[in-house]
Amino acid sequence: MATTLTREQQRQNTPDRPKPGGRPGAVGGHRNWLAGVAGWLWLVVVVVPIYWIVITSFKEQSSYYITNPFAPPAEPTLGNYGMVIEAGFIGYFVNSLIVTLGAVIPAVLVAFMASYAIVRSRTGWFLRSVNSLFLMGLAIPLQATIIPVYLIIIRLHLYDSLLGMILPSIAFAIPLSVLVLSNFIRDVPKELFESMRMDGATEWATLWRLAFPLTRPAVVTVAIYNALTIWNGFLLPLILTQSPEKRTLPLALWAFQGQYSVNVPAILASVVLTTLPILVLYAIGRRQLLSGLTAGFGK
Amino acid sequence: MSPTATPTTARGSRNGGLAWLAVPALVFFVAFGVVPLVGVLALSFTTWDGIGDINVTGLTSWQAVLSDPGLPHALWVTFLVMALSWAVQTPASLLLGVFLANSQRYRAVLAVVYFVPLLLSSAAIAITYKALLDPNFGLGAGLGIDLLVQDWLGVPELAFGVVIFVVSWQFIPFHSLIYQAGVRQIPKSMYEAAELDGAGRVRQFFSITLPQLKYTVITSSTLMVVGSLTFFDLIFVLTEGGPGDTTRVLALDMYKRGFQANLMGPASVIAVILVLVGLVLALILRRLGGRDATHSQMEGA
């Protein structure tokens, strides 16, 4: 064991990417076999269901029952996918896209403006109370407010509409977005704000021309976090919509499953299909997506 | 472009010029966050079927809920889900976080796979496991392994175990990410010093890693505990609270009373209890950490 440890320690000293802040990449003397076992075990726990989902989604329903579940399909078929698309999933995909973009873009913009105001003004009682209000919003499970939200949406005549899902999604995204964005705006050197002010720029101009570009990674992170939350959201569509053509993907998935509960390959094809867009994004920008997922919790 | 705020205006009006920037966010949050929060309390004193008129009926709904044995049951189930999912996720996430924090190429490759559950919706995960665990059509039946052919979602103890497992499957990646970041913040020199003093690895883990991760543990635990109150979609799709009421957590209880039994008054009472439980938990965890939960959430930021 001792020799492996030294060898691994040496390997640790060659981090696979530079670390900001000059701290050495790995934590020294920190190899432990228990963590190693956990690491490989977890890999199995994650990979087995995912492998099963993917191969099964290409099997014929008839062959699904008689073949080994872990054997790849003898005659792969796209029939299940065809069935899912015929069930209207393209429309649900468009709905999800509209709701997600329609909520994330305004949420991030208004949260950014609010964060800027909160950071730049240290004295105003108004902005300080606004900040406390948003912080309070973090401690409260917003799902608990769903009944009044339902009532409000009905009264606004927005029940069973995409806009009806967008508006509460914007509100629910604001507290965490403000918290993360204001932490990043706080890191922008004061001198830069001062020099903008000297040049006669208004706060509005400073906001968009200085603060926004300088904190763009944080903006992207927050946008991704919110987009994933809204894309995967289930409760709001469940409560605020009724007609099948207004469904977003998670709700459509649930309805599809209720309808074809014995057709396992078709259900799994619907799972793969609804997850595909996120997996593509994950492949393109894994690092951004992961930092977006923790939204600065452990930057 | 801006209606206010010139560089030469006095401090007070400059803040006035800034304040309007916060107004749009405030309007959204008040309309769909604060008003509903007050509204849920108000609705708990009414009778409403979700469609017709809302009648103020005082404490009727509160009496109905508080005398219902379903409430202590739902509270107990919520607590069990919270405690067990915490007890499973914390050691696992800690170990995985430590494992991942050591940057090596093969771990970076593993990490790509590790985090996939994070990307899936709770609905997709629940549907997958429902299919996978089906006693007739699932994995166990296909493999012909009798041990795996159980009525996983039909037997109370098994269904409860499945819920804990699936919750862990979904959220362990998130918490290992947090722990990974926490472990990377620990100065390497501490381990070098411990090594010089002849401390073994187990000793180093308990004397350095764990104490240094105190705030990370609190952050992650806060998110787990408060987050567990909102496991709605996963349990709803997986078991619908069943078998019987075995997995009927508070959030599900609220939904079922309100949107299935059309008793919005009692459902609002449950919602108020949910908010109170959340606040009490946040306060307790804040005590434990000696720091504000919202600050500890930003640990290392």
Side-chain angles (χ1 to χ4, degrees):
Chain A
M1 172 131 180
T3 49
T4 10
L5 283 170
T6 10
R7 216 185 312 132
E8 289 197 351
Q9 269 171 334
Q10 281 166 356
R11 258 191 288 161
Q12 272 176 46
N13 291 333
T14 51
D16 63 352
R17 62 169 187 275
K19 301 279 301 172
R23 231 189 296 256
V27 178
H30 201 56
R31 188 54 35 120
N32 83 47
W33 61 269
L34 198 59
V37 171
W40 288 102
L41 204 65
W42 180 249
L43 187 71
V44 174
V45 170
V46 172
V47 165
V48 167
I50 293 172
Y51 170 76
W52 180 74
I53 298 172
V54 174
I55 58 156
T56 308
S57 72
F58 291 105
K59 287 182 181 174
E60 297 272 5
Q61 193 188 357
S62 51
S63 69
Y64 166 71
Y65 297 118
I66 49 172
T67 55
N68 181 333
F70 287 127
E75 292 160 27
T77 169
L78 284 172
N80 301 312
Y81 288 91
M83 194 174 153
V84 174
I85 287 173
E86 263 170 50
F89 270 68
I90 294 190
Y92 305 139
F93 177 84
V94 172
N95 287 347
S96 277
L97 204 62
I98 294 173
V99 171
T100 304
L101 292 178
V104 169
I105 294 169
V108 171
L109 290 182
V110 299
F112 193 88
M113 284 158 57
S115 314
Y116 179 87
I118 286 164
V119 171
R120 291 285 289 140
S121 141
R122 303 251 146 153
T123 48
W125 64 268
F126 172 73
L127 287 169
R128 257 187 299 147
S129 351
V130 169
N131 194 30
S132 320
L133 193 69
F134 290 154
L135 286 179
M136 191 194 74
L138 285 173
I140 289 166
L142 286 172
Q143 282 188 354
T145 63
I146 198 71
I147 295 167
V149 166
Y150 167 73
L151 175 62
I152 292 169
I153 292 296
I154 291 179
R155 291 284 152 93
L156 290 174
H157 300 287
L158 289 173
Y159 182 73
D160 207 23
S161 73
L162 296 183
L163 186 61
M165 287 184 270
I166 290 173
L167 295 179
S169 302
I170 295 175
F172 289 5
I174 285 174
L176 188 65
S177 307
V178 169
L179 177 71
V180 174
L181 289 173
S182 50
N183 268 304
F184 278 89
I185 299 174
R186 210 162 277 138
D187 289 345
V188 175
K190 302 270 169 308
E191 299 77 38
L192 294 178
F193 287 116
E194 269 311 296
S195 67
M196 284 290 280
R197 208 165 65 85
M198 295 299 196
D199 293 346
T202 60
E203 292 287 358
W204 181 252
T206 312
L207 166 73
W208 295 116
R209 278 197 259 130
L210 178 74
F212 197 77
L214 281 179
T215 51
R216 229 183 53 200
V219 173
V220 172
T221 294
V222 167
I224 289 173
Y225 176 84
N226 288 324
L228 207 71
T229 310
I230 296 167
W231 181 269
N232 285 337
F234 183 78
L235 186 61
L236 284 177
L238 176 70
I239 281 173
L240 301 177
T241 67
Q242 187 176 37
S243 44
E245 61 271 21
K246 292 291 173 353
R247 281 177 192 151
T248 53
L249 285 174
L251 195 65
L253 209 57
W254 175 65
F256 186 78
Q257 176 258 173
Q259 211 175 337
Y260 298 95
S261 58
V262 290
N263 193 344
V264 175
I267 292 172
L268 296 178
S270 72
V271 168
V272 173
L273 211 57
T274 56
T275 311
L276 217 52
I278 310 172
L279 285 178
V280 169
L281 275 181
Y282 185 61
I284 299 171
R286 186 170 68 86
R287 197 138 292 172
Q288 282 281 3
L289 198 60
L290 287 184
S291 67
L293 283 166
T294 47
F297 281 128
K299 184 168 55 117
Chain B
M1 230 166 135
S2 162
T4 46
T6 54
T8 47
T9 43
R11 177 117 214 150
S13 67
R14 216 167 66 97
N15 286 333
L18 276 166
W20 71 271
L21 287 171
V23 170
L26 186 65
V27 168
F28 274 113
F29 190 66
V30 167
F32 294 99
V34 179
V35 168
L37 194 62
V38 178
V40 82
L41 185 63
L43 282 174
S44 73
F45 299 106
T46 66
T47 303
W48 180 39
D49 63 2
I51 303 155
D53 293 330
I54 302 170
N55 298 308
V56 179
T57 48
L59 291 169
T60 323
S61 299
W62 280 91
Q63 275 161 355
V65 171
L66 292 179
S67 63
D68 182 350
L71 177 68
H73 176 75
L75 278 169
W76 172 241
V77 172
T78 308
F79 170 77
L80 268 187
V81 169
M82 184 185 292
L84 289 176
S85 63
W86 181 86
V88 171
Q89 287 183 79
T90 300
S93 311
L94 184 57
L95 283 174
L96 282 172
V98 168
F99 177 71
L100 287 169
N102 298 288
S103 9
Q104 271 171 317
R105 206 160 296 274
Y106 83 92
R107 281 163 207 233
V109 175
L110 288 189
V112 175
V113 180
Y114 276 180
F115 298 126
V116 169
L118 264 180
L119 309 171
L120 309 179
S121 67
S122 301
I125 292 174
I127 286 166
T128 301
Y129 273 100
K130 226 173 140 178
L132 195 142
L133 295 171
D134 191 288
N136 301 313
F137 312 116
L139 197 57
L143 287 170
I145 301 175
D146 286 342
L147 186 69
L148 289 176
V149 186
Q150 307 273 358
D151 193 1
W152 289 103
L153 298 171
V155 178
E157 291 78 18
L158 290 180
F160 205 89
V162 168
V163 167
I164 302 296
F165 174 81
V166 178
V167 163
S168 308
W169 194 82
Q170 185 175 11
F171 292 106
I172 282 176
F174 177 80
H175 294 283
S176 1
L177 265 181
I178 295 181
Y179 279 113
Q180 175 195 25
V183 171
R184 283 196 173 146
Q185 305 265 343
I186 303 174
K188 202 182 171 185
S189 55
M190 296 186 79
Y191 292 102
E192 287 162 359
E195 215 139 281
L196 288 178
D197 291 344
R201 282 170 203 290
V202 176
R203 181 71 200 278
Q204 285 180 27
F205 179 80
F206 285 103
S207 310
I208 301 173
T209 313
L210 218 47
Q212 284 290 311
L213 287 177
K214 185 185 167 199
Y215 289 119
T216 315
V217 173
I218 292 167
T219 302
S220 154
S221 301
T222 306
L223 293 172
M224 274 183 204
V225 163
V226 178
S228 76
L229 293 177
T230 59
F231 290 155
F232 170 80
D233 24 12
L234 193 79
I235 301 179
F236 178 73
V237 176
L238 202 58
T239 67
E240 267 200 76
D245 279 340
T246 313
T247 52
R248 186 165 169 151
V249 291
L250 276 175
L252 211 64
D253 196 39
M254 174 188 78
Y255 175 82
K256 289 196 147 189
R257 285 177 199 259
F259 294 92
Q260 287 182 351
N262 295 323
L263 299 167
M264 291 295 183
S268 302
V269 174
I270 301 287
V272 172
I273 293 171
L274 203 54
V275 171
L276 291 178
V277 171
L279 285 177
V280 167
L281 284 171
L283 283 178
I284 292 174
L285 283 158
R286 185 173 155 175
R287 264 284 151 79
L288 281 178
R291 276 187 0 178
D292 194 295
T294 49
H295 286 161
S296 67
Q297 278 180 9
M298 293 310 296
E299 169 80 354

